[in-house]
Amino acid sequence: FSGGGGGGEGCLGLLRVSESASSFYSLRQSSSDQSVSVMPDSANELPSEVFLQVLVEFWLNQQNSSFDSNGFLPMSYTQYLSEVHLLLVRRVLKHVHYFTNCSSLQQVTSHSLMTSFSPLSSITSELKSSALKKYLQKSCFSFLQHALKHCPLDYNYRYVIELWLTYIQPWRYTDADRPSAESKDIGLEALPSLWSGFVMEHFPFYSSLLVEFLRRAFQLELTSEHGVMFLYRISKVFSQPGLTALIESAESVLLSPFPSSPMAPPPPSHSHLSLSPSPPHHSKKSSPKATALLKTAFAELDISTQHYTPLFCSDTQDAVATLLARVSWAKAVLLRNLQLTP
């Protein structure tokens, strides 16, 4: 995970592990004409899968065994989530996004594995489509939920936020040959059907974690640079064209007794940190598949939808309005202090 190679190098590194496995399995079958299976004996897992599981276990799952008797993480854990720890987890997440999304990797996979055995090619393709949900989704959600709630609101809190924002923006990691900063404009409007599916499959990351942050935001020191930066980064991401519409559409499907179509999103709200409902709109007939997808997203994370806090409701809207009022007050304080400075 050296930083110099960028996302593409790390992504290709995952493939290289699989390609090494390909050579091993090829030799294994050629050594025995009667061999029926070319897969490893341990649950048909590739070395890259095992490696990813090890990273997740060491870097994301340690808090699962650290709860106190009241179900909270001890301060000793949350206080020592270091910058290096959070940056390493974020780098792994970027590599998995690239591995899943990069079209160039599909060509690499096809070229290197078609010369080997189709079973391994199939397993690798399956890994590309399931790596995020199978190995990272639940652990990342638990990790982020507790970090957003318990980590000290110092400068390192920004690394928690950046990890969260990396997870919910896969459209920034679609080309291994271009840095994410250059890919940020290749976004939601280019591939709406692809990203609407991702938003629904990972909807708690967009809704429940945002509510968790809003609760914590009232503890921010808004006259400090890092406190304002936290709000700026989150408002900038959630105000991206199309994202608010996708989130509101998914929430309406989740809460509606009669499922509505996610493919006809309402007009987006463009104001930063605005979660006010869009004007009334008429959606097409229901999509049971979309409803099932959203219900599954919560069930996989052991979250009950009965206790879901809606984003587009009066209570959340009032909370955002109160937070913005505090931002205005902090701005007035800073301006007054500047005027008093000789």
Side-chain angles (χ1 to χ4, degrees):
F1 290 105
S2 58
E9 175 63 27
C11 182
L12 292 175
L14 285 176
L15 282 179
R16 290 194 187 103
V17 177
S18 296
E19 290 173 19
S20 298
S22 171
S23 301
F24 171 76
Y25 299 140
S26 177
L27 291 172
R28 178 181 173 182
Q29 189 187 49
S30 63
S31 65
S32 176
D33 294 337
Q34 297 179 353
S35 177
V36 176
S37 173
V38 295
M39 294 293 101
D41 296 331
S42 58
N44 292 340
E45 289 183 333
L46 293 174
S48 52
E49 293 181 273
V50 176
F51 178 63
L52 186 56
Q53 290 179 68
V54 169
L55 295 183
V56 169
E57 184 63 32
F58 274 93
W59 289 344
L60 293 176
N61 287 344
Q62 292 307 302
Q63 79 273 14
N64 292 338
S65 59
S66 303
F67 297 124
D68 61 20
S69 58
N70 296 318
F72 292 99
L73 285 171
M75 289 300 293
S76 59
Y77 179 84
T78 54
Q79 282 180 331
Y80 297 109
L81 278 179
S82 67
E83 171 187 344
V84 173
H85 182 172
L86 294 167
L87 287 174
L88 285 172
V89 174
R90 189 180 179 212
R91 182 169 289 277
V92 171
L93 185 55
K94 286 182 178 182
H95 292 343
V96 172
H97 274 323
Y98 277 121
F99 180 60
T100 302
N101 298 330
C102 290
S103 58
S104 60
L105 288 180
Q106 183 62 46
Q107 298 173 359
V108 173
T109 303
S110 299
H111 176 74
S112 60
L113 296 180
M114 284 299 289
T115 58
S116 182
F117 298 101
S118 58
L120 182 60
S121 177
S122 173
I123 290 294
T124 305
S125 298
E126 182 180 346
L127 177 61
K128 286 185 64 178
S129 64
S130 65
L132 189 64
K133 290 197 68 177
K134 184 176 180 181
Y135 298 112
L136 282 166
Q137 183 187 43
K138 188 171 183 177
S139 296
C140 260
F141 183 85
S142 178
F143 182 89
L144 287 169
Q145 185 179 46
H146 289 291
L148 287 170
K149 186 174 182 179
H150 295 293
C151 280
L153 295 173
D154 54 18
Y155 188 79
N156 281 348
Y157 195 72
R158 179 177 179 180
Y159 296 106
V160 176
I161 291 176
E162 293 299 337
L163 174 60
W164 169 33
L165 298 181
T166 296
Y167 191 104
I168 66 174
Q169 297 183 92
W171 45 86
R172 296 190 66 202
Y173 310 100
T174 57
D175 189 342
D177 297 324
R178 299 175 63 187
S180 59
E182 298 178 12
S183 305
K184 61 184 178 181
D185 294 330
I186 306 175
L188 303 172
E189 295 176 327
L191 297 168
S193 60
L194 173 62
W195 303 130
S196 64
F198 183 92
V199 170
M200 285 192 293
E201 287 184 344
H202 304 269
F203 187 63
F205 284 85
Y206 296 88
S207 56
S208 299
L209 291 184
L210 179 57
V211 170
E212 196 68 66
F213 171 78
L214 286 175
R215 291 170 180 157
R216 195 77 192 277
F218 286 95
Q219 302 173 23
L220 291 174
E221 178 53 66
L222 295 177
T223 56
S224 69
E225 181 180 355
H226 63 263
V228 174
M229 179 61 68
F230 300 156
L231 288 180
Y232 169 75
R233 287 291 297 128
I234 291 174
S235 63
K236 181 180 179 181
V237 169
F238 278 88
S239 64
Q240 291 178 89
L243 182 55
T244 300
L246 290 178
I247 295 173
E248 184 174 358
S249 180
E251 183 173 273
S252 67
V253 171
L254 179 69
L255 299 178
S256 175
F258 303 101
S260 57
S261 171
M263 302 315 296
S269 173
H270 295 290
S271 58
H272 285 201
L273 278 176
S274 173
L275 294 175
S276 57
S278 299
H281 64 282
H282 301 284
S283 57
K284 298 180 181 180
K285 197 173 178 180
S286 80
S287 171
K289 181 179 179 181
T291 303
L293 196 62
L294 286 164
K295 298 286 186 181
T296 301
F298 281 85
E300 289 177 341
L301 298 176
D302 299 325
I303 304 174
S304 172
T305 55
Q306 294 180 347
H307 303 293
Y308 174 74
T309 302
L311 291 175
F312 300 91
C313 69
S314 58
D315 289 344
T316 306
Q317 184 180 0
D318 291 343
V320 172
T322 302
L323 182 59
L324 291 176
R326 294 190 60 180
V327 172
S328 297
W329 171 84
K331 178 181 178 182
V333 169
L334 290 172
L335 290 175
R336 185 171 64 250
N337 292 339
L338 286 175
Q339 292 172 355
L340 294 176
T341 302

